[in-house]
Amino acid sequence: MGTPSIAIAAWGLVTGVALVEGGLSTRMALVMTFVVFAGSAQLAVLPLLATGAPLFVVWITATLVNLRFVIFSAASRSFWGELPWKQRLFASYLNGDVGFALFMQRYSNDTERGTPEQHGFFFGCALLNWVSWMGSSVAGILLGGLAPTSWGLELAAVLALVAVLIPMANRAPALLGIVVTGVLGVATVRLPLKIGLLMSIVVGVVVAVVAETHLPRRPSPIEEAAEIAASEGGYGS
Amino acid sequence: MNGIGSWSHMLLAFAGLALTTVLTRGSFFVLPASIQLPPRIERALRYAPACALTAIIAPDVLTRDRALYFSWHNNELWSVLIAAAVFAKTRNMLVMMVAGMTAFTLLRLYT
């Protein structure tokens, strides 16, 4: 358990610094961290919030970044069927990248699903991850407030997003989607209301899915999602 | 440019962000077991996060004042490329962060 918690702490620290350097006040960054609890989505929408983009663009972008969680929850649903809805809701809140990856590494081959041991492991890991994430984020937010803006630390947010993106670019269709989205995103940067942003994502995803159907060997998206989740923040390699 | 809105605007933004996070993480924990994820949709979900992140990163790094900024003087671009290469090699976020920020600082001070 030690290694993932350290990786999460490093990741939380960077996110905390980036939130403040990206333009949020210390108090706003603290509120965001405790309310939202989704590092990649928080960093992704930061430039949108800082340029006053409409809220629907902010929410759609975050949802698109969060769509990997839909795969996680579909993959692990059979572990949660029996529990009362309040506990399932609590599990939903906690089901981030690293917790999901650790859980699936341990239990994905089990035929008996939904045992007390599995639930105990999930909540134990998730709470430990939550504590190290929140502690390090708060530290990052407070430290970020101290650094002079001339250091250019707002670049930290972009670098962190690049670190999330690279493990996702593991195969040809993903790379193709990324290149198409990137080119279109730059080409449409003048369109109002960030319409170019949303458009370039849709086209990129369609191109990647179509490219995928032309490949002979297609790994299961669930296995792939677990692999990518495990490399979040550099853990799992 | 700092367009960060009022407290009420930001709280509304955060509430929506929290909602999408819990809804996506818990989507299939609360849906009835009869509802399955169609394979093609699953593929699209797999690629959406990568494309969304790219749509944020690419214009941020490659444009300035809403125009293409591909130049030797684009310190941000070269720092991101160096950091990406370091991360692809080491898979260590802290190392890549230090590499990227060091490159950016050196470029800023000496070019």
Side-chain angles (χ1 to χ4, degrees), chain A residues 52-142:
Chain A
L55 283 182
F56 80 92
V57 176
V58 171
W59 291 331
I60 291 174
T61 304
T63 306
L64 291 167
V65 173
N66 282 339
L67 280 180
R68 66 190 190 286
F69 296 137
V70 175
I71 300 181
F72 296 0
S73 74
S76 55
R77 80 194 300 188
S78 53
F79 291 97
W80 300 100
E82 306 291 309
L83 280 192
W85 70 270
K86 273 189 189 167
Q87 288 186 42
R88 275 184 276 158
L89 195 66
F90 189 43
S92 305
Y93 169 74
L94 292 171
N95 196 22
D97 294 277
V98 176
F100 170 78
L102 290 170
F103 185 79
M104 292 309 269
Q105 276 169 11
R106 197 174 171 112
Y107 295 115
S108 63
N109 292 324
D110 284 20
T111 43
E112 197 190 351
R113 295 191 160 198
T115 65
E117 186 213 317
Q118 290 164 350
H119 295 152
F121 181 85
F122 176 87
F123 283 114
C125 277
L127 289 172
L128 192 59
N129 289 345
W130 189 91
V131 169
S132 65
W133 170 262
M134 288 304 171
S136 57
S137 293
V138 169
I141 289 166
L142 299 177

Side-chain angles (χ1 to χ4, degrees), chain A residues 10-11 14 23-25 27-28 31-32 35-38 40 44-45 47-53 55 58-59 61-71 73-74 76-77 80 88-89 91-96 150-153 155-156 158-168 170-171 173-174 177-178 181-182 185-186 189-192 197 200-201 204-205 208-209 212-213 218-222 224 228 231 233-235 237, chain B residues 1-69 74-105 108-109:
Chain A
W11 176 237
V14 170
L24 294 184
S25 69
R27 263 198 258 173
M28 270 184 190
V31 172
M32 187 191 210
V35 171
V36 183
F37 186 49
S40 307
V45 301
L48 300 176
L49 290 171
T51 52
L55 283 182
V58 171
W59 291 331
T61 304
T63 306
L64 291 167
V65 173
N66 282 339
L67 280 180
R68 66 190 190 286
F69 296 137
V70 175
I71 300 181
S73 74
S76 55
R77 80 194 300 188
W80 300 100
R88 275 184 276 158
L89 195 66
S92 305
Y93 169 74
L94 292 171
N95 196 22
S150 66
W151 287 5
L153 281 184
L155 185 65
V158 180
L159 294 178
L161 289 176
V162 171
V164 183
L165 178 63
I166 287 175
M168 293 178 177
N170 58 347
R171 289 189 310 119
I178 286 169
T181 306
V186 170
V189 77
R190 282 173 176 276
L191 294 183
L197 174 106
S200 54
I201 298 169
V205 171
V209 171
E212 172 97 69
T213 59
R218 305 178 213 165
S220 126
I222 291 173
E224 237 186 352
I228 292 167
S231 59
Y235 155 72
S237 52
Chain B
M1 171 163 54
N2 193 341
I4 296 289
S6 62
W7 264 104
S8 56
H9 177 84
M10 295 303 280
L11 287 178
L12 187 62
F14 297 163
L17 293 172
L19 192 67
T20 139
T21 303
V22 171
L23 286 182
T24 49
R25 283 182 185 166
S27 46
F28 278 88
F29 293 179
V30 290
L31 284 173
S34 57
I35 299 179
Q36 302 285 334
L37 202 56
R40 195 165 264 254
I41 302 290
E42 200 172 49
R43 294 282 162 198
L45 297 181
R46 146 83 181 89
Y47 294 118
C51 293
L53 293 173
T54 306
I56 295 287
I57 297 166
D60 191 290
V61 175
L62 281 167
T63 68
R64 179 186 272 188
D65 301 326
R66 295 188 151 204
L68 183 66
Y69 183 49
N74 186 344
N75 295 344
E76 202 181 335
L77 171 63
W78 302 115
S79 313
V80 165
L81 289 178
I82 289 168
V86 169
F87 186 78
K89 184 89 183 151
T90 64
R91 293 286 159 143
N92 184 319
M93 200 190 57
L94 278 186
V95 172
M96 83 90 86
M97 197 60 69
V98 170
M101 291 312 302
T102 307
F104 187 71
T105 306
R108 183 170 59 85
L109 294 176

